Amino acid sequence: MASELHFSPVLSDALVILGSAGIVIPVFARFRITPIIGFILVGMLVGPFGLGRLVFEYPWLQYITITDPQGLEPFAEFGIILLLFTIGLELSFNRLWQLRRMVFGLGALELTISAALIAFALMTMGQYWTGAMGLGLALALSSTALVLPISGTKSPVGKAALSMLLFEDIAIVPIIFLLGAMAPYAASGGVGGLWYTIWTGGLTVIALMIGGRFFLPRLFAQAARTKSPELFLAASLLVVIVSALATAAVGLSPIVGALIAGLLIAETEYHTEVEGITAPFKGLALGIFLITVGMGVDLSVIAANAWPIALAVSGVLLVKALVTGGLLRMMGARRGTAVETGITMSSPSETTLIVLSAAATAQLIQPQTAQFWQIVTAIGLTITPILALLGRKVARHVDAAPALSLDGDSDPSEGRAIIIGYGRVGRLIADMMQKHGQRFLAIDSDPELVEIARLRKHPLMFADARGPALDRIDLSKASAIILTMDEPVLAARLLRKLRSSYPDMPIIARARDTEHAAELYRAGATEAVPETLESSLQLSESVLVNIGVAMGPVIASIHEKRDEFREKIMREGELSRKPKLKTSLADRASGNKGEPETA
């Protein structure tokens, strides 16, 4: 007799989470919005303060809501552990050593000053000094789980954020012990416990580093010889779990062990494979964590305490943004980097919830106070992606490019080719223009590219092609305009605008494919170069030649295929002649100058 399938709460919650991931990630990616916001909104919708409160009235809702929020917490913690592990994979001990000044200098100052200012503000409002200090330390922390996936670890903003977040992760243990030592009932053993954890933790970290350098290459070599992805994944997860358990066993945070495991694997030749094979698990576990954050947001409580909560959130964001940005400026960071990092790092952390719980357990703050600041923390985590976008936009305005000497010209565009977009393609074009002695001016609105242009000695004007900045530049005296941005809609819109203003100007545009090229020709492009077309043809050519097909038939078929694309672009682009397409490597090698470019 077939047994009846038992639809348990655990299975129901798992299906809700997997279904949410399957919906949120592609939908938000379609609109180029970080899925972080989507997961938090899902948590608010399916959590106990959303549809979950209606389960008793409508029992069928239990199949699309989270019925056991506490049961998700271990999975959320594992997501953060995997996140720190993958961060370690992107680093190395050499790179971490290079960041030591930022970690223990900038990180310590940012945490200490932010905590002191928040604590002082709370004391002036009547909070006792021990509780104010506990709240200050909790709210001064920033979210590793949200900030680093947004900022990365290689940009100036990412490096600054990584340094401060690493120090905060290290400081969690001393903070927890400090709160315990300040408890009304605490004995003198609190400080002794802290020192015990420090020296045992130090020995554990040293043991992990020594053992990992000897053991990990052999472990992954054996896993690689089996050619089994499952075994490779099992070995990776085993390393993470053992390292996290080892540091947790001596009182350190498990994320410290996960970070060390990532750093050790990053020193081996297997780090790329490990990073790729664990990425899906990290994304899913991080999504679970974000759902738990959203489940903690009670809109009814927020509505009942709207003004106090709004003031508390604004105050924390303002203090942390000013402190972080000010310290970065004092340490020599550019204005844009300081502003963007300060705004991105201004929200509280997922670890804030742990510290708030520790402060409440130590009776430094009342349960109602802890609940209030937990709501503030949840709101801060929810708006972190929005803060990152805001920081990026504000940085573009405050970090204008320095005045560039353009050979003494009063009109910066006169006699110059104007390259709109200084990304990968724009920089290559600028290099070629410079090599052949041609005058040009690049235009971009990314402050990070200003320093690159200065190092390459490329003239760059800080302006946003989306806004009215180009209207203030007279491009009528330019020799040509080159559009290199990788945004098809923006490129077509900008091209129509430029063609209507400068009907005789040569405008060369970068296209994604033949369809985009045809659209750009209809918009008025003089030439539209589909970058994927020639790379695909050259790749096909290389494959055929290297597997033994004769060069002559290959060249003929490449000519034929290219002519098909030219015909398609001419027809869809409403042209009177076939457009030019560059010749292939085989053409040049054989001395063929290419096809005639007339229809």
Side-chain angles (χ1 to χ4, degrees):
M1 183 176 66
S3 61
E4 183 180 353
L5 177 64
H6 179 59
F7 200 73
S8 66
V10 175
L11 177 60
S12 175
D13 293 348
L15 291 176
V16 170
I17 292 169
L18 293 174
S20 301
I23 296 173
V24 166
I25 294 176
V27 169
F28 278 70
R30 172 67 178 82
F31 295 98
R32 297 188 177 183
I33 302 174
T34 173
I36 290 173
I37 298 177
F39 281 119
I40 293 175
L41 292 177
V42 167
M44 295 172 60
L45 179 65
V46 304
F49 302 119
L51 295 177
R53 68 174 66 195
L54 302 177
V55 168
F56 291 107
E57 299 179 30
Y58 305 98
W60 60 270
L61 285 175
Q62 64 180 312
Y63 300 112
I64 59 171
T65 57
I66 303 296
T67 56
D68 184 17
Q70 288 74 26
L72 293 179
E73 291 179 1
F75 299 99
E77 293 173 5
F78 186 61
I80 297 174
I81 288 173
L82 280 179
L83 174 66
L84 266 293
F85 172 67
T86 55
I87 290 170
L89 288 174
E90 297 177 1
L91 299 172
S92 65
F93 283 105
N94 289 333
R95 188 178 172 199
L96 197 59
W97 178 253
Q98 293 171 358
L99 291 172
R100 66 189 184 281
R101 174 174 167 266
M102 296 284 284
V103 172
F104 296 101
L106 174 63
L109 285 173
E110 185 268 338
L111 179 61
T112 304
I113 296 175
S114 297
L117 290 177
I118 294 172
F120 177 77
L122 292 172
M123 288 172 60
T124 60
M125 292 186 290
Q127 180 72 49
Y128 192 62
W129 73 270
T130 54
M133 182 178 294
L135 289 171
L137 289 169
L139 296 170
L141 300 171
S142 299
S143 175
T144 302
L146 296 185
V147 171
L148 289 183
I150 294 173
S151 67
T153 60
K154 298 180 180 179
S155 66
V157 173
K159 290 178 181 177
L162 175 64
S163 302
M164 290 180 280
L165 291 168
L166 282 176
F167 181 82
E168 291 177 4
D169 292 335
I170 295 171
I172 292 172
V173 174
I175 288 174
I176 298 297
F177 272 96
L178 178 63
L179 296 180
M182 291 192 303
Y185 54 83
S188 60
V191 176
L194 173 60
W195 285 113
Y196 175 80
T197 299
I198 289 176
W199 77 262
T200 55
L203 290 177
T204 302
V205 169
I206 293 173
L208 286 174
M209 293 173 63
I210 295 174
R213 285 183 178 275
F214 174 79
F215 179 69
L216 289 184
R218 291 166 175 78
L219 172 66
F220 284 107
Q222 291 295 329
R225 289 191 186 99
T226 65
K227 300 186 182 301
S228 170
E230 294 81 7
L231 185 58
F232 212 90
L233 173 62
S236 303
L237 294 178
L238 176 65
V239 172
V240 178
I241 294 171
V242 169
S243 301
L245 289 177
T247 53
V250 296
L252 292 176
S253 171
I255 64 178
V256 175
L259 179 65
I260 293 172
L263 288 169
L264 289 169
I265 295 177
E267 300 291 333
T268 71
E269 58 269 34
Y270 304 102
H271 71 278
T272 302
E273 180 69 15
V274 173
E275 185 176 358
I277 208 167
T278 57
F281 294 91
K282 179 201 72 172
L284 180 60
L286 181 59
I288 297 174
F289 162 71
L290 296 171
I291 289 175
T292 61
V293 171
M295 289 191 298
V297 179
D298 188 346
L299 296 179
S300 62
V301 174
I302 294 174
N305 301 273
W307 280 111
I309 291 175
L311 290 174
V313 173
S314 302
V316 171
L317 297 182
L318 181 63
V319 169
K320 293 179 66 178
L322 290 176
V323 170
T324 304
L327 288 173
L328 282 170
R329 282 294 290 164
M330 290 173 60
M331 298 185 73
R334 294 186 298 105
R335 285 181 298 174
T337 301
V339 168
E340 183 176 350
T341 307
I343 296 176
T344 304
M345 292 276 293
S346 61
S347 61
S349 168
E350 62 280 356
T351 317
T352 300
L353 302 173
I354 300 174
V355 179
L356 287 174
S357 176
T361 302
Q363 297 182 6
L364 300 178
I365 57 177
Q366 297 297 318
Q368 296 85 352
T369 304
Q371 184 183 25
F372 175 85
W373 290 107
Q374 285 170 355
I375 294 174
V376 170
T377 302
I379 293 174
L381 287 168
T382 303
I383 64 175
T384 297
I386 301 173
L387 291 173
L389 292 174
L390 176 64
R392 196 170 298 121
K393 289 183 178 296
V394 174
R396 290 179 177 179
H397 290 286
V398 302
D399 197 19
L404 296 171
S405 174
L406 300 175
D407 303 337
D409 291 348
S410 57
D411 185 348
S413 66
E414 185 172 1
R416 297 176 182 272
I418 306 300
I419 304 172
I420 301 179
Y422 191 66
R424 170 180 55 87
V425 177
R427 289 196 296 274
L428 179 58
I429 294 174
D431 286 337
M432 297 302 295
M433 298 282 286
Q434 191 176 56
K435 181 178 180 65
H436 291 278
Q438 300 299 309
R439 300 167 71 242
F440 66 92
L441 172 65
I443 297 176
D444 206 294
S445 60
D446 189 345
E448 303 295 341
L449 299 178
V450 174
E451 198 65 30
I452 296 177
R454 184 186 293 114
L455 292 174
R456 294 191 181 209
K457 298 181 180 180
H458 289 167
L460 183 141
M461 178 176 292
F462 188 86
D464 191 348
R466 298 176 177 85
L470 287 182
D471 296 334
R472 297 192 292 269
I473 305 173
D474 183 11
L475 300 179
S476 60
K477 299 179 182 178
S479 59
I481 298 176
I482 304 102
L483 304 181
T484 69
M485 67 278 293
D486 186 24
E487 299 181 47
V489 176
L490 174 63
R493 185 187 305 126
L494 184 57
L495 203 154
R496 291 188 186 91
K497 179 180 177 181
L498 291 171
R499 179 55 70 203
S500 64
S501 301
Y502 311 103
D504 300 323
M505 176 69 63
I507 302 178
I508 298 90
R510 168 193 180 188
R512 280 190 177 181
D513 47 33
T514 55
E515 289 79 8
H516 188 212
E519 181 184 3
L520 293 178
Y521 274 118
R522 290 195 301 270
T526 307
E527 298 290 345
V529 181
E531 58 179 349
T532 59
L533 171 59
E534 278 303 323
S535 60
S536 300
L537 290 175
Q538 289 185 29
L539 182 61
S540 303
E541 174 185 296
S542 298
V543 170
L544 292 169
V545 170
N546 278 279
I547 64 177
V549 181
M551 177 71 77
V554 171
I555 294 176
S557 64
I558 292 293
H559 285 334
E560 180 181 348
K561 180 60 66 175
R562 185 183 292 111
D563 198 55
E564 290 179 13
F565 285 124
R566 292 174 60 211
E567 184 82 33
K568 180 179 179 181
I569 295 174
M570 182 185 73
R571 182 176 63 256
E572 296 182 1
E574 302 173 1
L575 303 175
S576 59
R577 62 178 181 84
K578 293 181 182 179
K580 296 179 180 179
L581 294 177
K582 72 174 186 177
T583 56
S584 69
L585 293 173
D587 293 335
R588 291 192 289 274
S590 64
N592 192 332
K593 299 302 181 182
E595 309 156 278
E597 300 294 348
T598 57

